[in-house]
Amino acid sequence: NAGVTQTPKFQVLKTGQSMTLQCAQDMNHNSMYWYRQDPGMGLRLIYYSASEGTTDKGEVPNGYNVSRLNKREFSLRLESAAPSQTSVYFCASMGFGGGSNQPQHFGDGTRLSIL
Amino acid sequence: ILNVEQSPQSLHVQEGDSTNFTCSFPSSNFYALHWYRWETAKSPEALFVMTLNGDEKKKGRISATLNTKEGYSYLYIKGSQPEDSATYLCAFGSFGNEKLTFGTGTRLTIIP
């Protein structure tokens, strides 16, 4: 019973390097989300995908790109990492309820450090 | 940017005492209000999703109420136990989309 699986769990990058964070869910959920969590800031939405084939910007999209590869998978890419992107990244999914009236299910997070 | 505020930011409570904290959110365009418990080194877990004004939800010793007209929700914990130590997040969902806006959380520490 995996739920939402994120890889990797930890990563250290140098400024300017690129990488992709992977997320997969096995609950047949329509909506998927990427958040970042910084001290004192709570969870901030980077991008989300309300259904397969669609993606939309959240509150802090600059410096990131996403791909909704299929219904299960939603990846987050940093093209040129910057120290300001040091954070803990969470992927989440939500079942269809015609809006936000279903709980979100979160992965375990990816701790990313940019040197 | 929607404003979702939680108070207090942190709280220390003696084991066995009851406590409550607040989430304030926009009263217009309301669709849903979520509560999550987030233990250190883990991921947030859903406690409640509330959609109707006057909703009350309960799970064991934890309960929540919702007032959509004035834009607030209370989370109550009765007879606090050490395992209740966590950050409690609320999140607001507005009508017409699947996004949530999270508050910054209330960090609860139970003192044995």
Side-chain angles (χ1 to χ4, degrees), chain A:
Chain A
N1 192 13
V4 179
T5 303
Q6 288 184 236
T7 56
K9 293 194 185 307
F10 302 94
Q11 185 72 48
V12 178
L13 293 178
K14 294 182 179 177
T15 298
Q17 286 185 316
S18 63
M19 82 160 293
T20 300
L21 280 62
Q22 307 286 353
C23 176
Q25 51 92 8
D26 62 2
M27 296 172 282
N28 201 35
H29 285 171
N30 287 309
S31 302
M32 296 186 73
Y33 307 81
W34 277 106
Y35 295 93
R36 59 178 290 173
Q37 187 251 329
D38 302 294
M41 304 290 284
L43 287 171
R44 291 186 293 168
L45 182 65
I46 305 170
Y47 271 94
Y48 72 106
S49 169
S51 62
E52 185 178 353
T54 68
T55 60
D56 285 287
K57 294 178 181 179
E59 186 184 346
V60 288
N62 291 344
Y64 305 95
N65 286 301
V66 290
S67 295
R68 183 74 183 266
L69 303 168
N70 48 55
K71 192 170 185 179
R72 289 187 65 247
E73 298 172 290
F74 188 38
S75 62
L76 178 72
R77 182 161 178 83
L78 286 70
E79 290 290 352
S80 179
S84 61
Q85 294 177 304
T86 293
S87 188
V88 181
Y89 291 84
F90 286 95
C91 176
S93 70
M94 184 176 75
F96 180 72
S100 54
N101 62 355
Q102 300 293 314
Q104 290 194 0
H105 299 260
F106 287 82
D108 290 337
T110 295
R111 188 173 295 272
L112 182 62
S113 294
I114 317 293
L115 304 177

Side-chain angles (χ1 to χ4, degrees), chain B residues 47-51 55-59 62-65:
Chain B
L47 286 171
F48 307 113
V49 179
M50 296 185 286
T51 58
D55 250 356
E56 292 188 25
K57 300 268 186 177
K58 188 174 181 181
K59 183 184 280 191
I62 303 176
S63 61
T65 61

Side-chain angles (χ1 to χ4, degrees), chain B residues 4-108:
Chain B
V4 179
E5 296 184 351
Q6 292 187 244
S7 62
Q9 279 190 317
S10 65
L11 193 54
H12 289 75
V13 174
Q14 205 70 39
E15 182 177 352
D17 287 352
S18 297
T19 188
N20 65 84
F21 24 93
T22 307
C23 174
S24 301
F25 53 86
S27 55
S28 60
N29 211 27
F30 174 86
Y31 194 76
L33 192 284
H34 296 220
W35 281 100
Y36 293 83
R37 177 165 63 196
W38 192 359
E39 295 179 67
T40 303
K42 294 188 177 180
S43 54
E45 290 185 354
L47 286 171
F48 307 113
V49 179
M50 296 185 286
T51 58
L52 298 175
N53 184 44
D55 250 356
E56 292 188 25
K57 300 268 186 177
K58 188 174 181 181
K59 183 184 280 191
R61 294 178 291 98
I62 303 176
S63 61
T65 61
L66 178 67
N67 183 323
T68 62
K69 295 188 186 306
E70 296 182 42
Y72 64 84
S73 175
Y74 294 132
L75 189 79
Y76 299 90
I77 301 178
K78 188 176 177 182
S80 303
Q81 298 297 309
E83 59 265 28
D84 296 329
S85 294
T87 296
Y88 291 83
L89 296 172
C90 71
F92 169 79
S94 57
F95 187 80
N97 64 72
E98 286 78 19
K99 292 190 297 185
L100 291 178
T101 300
F102 282 82
T104 53
T106 292
R107 178 173 287 185
L108 176 65

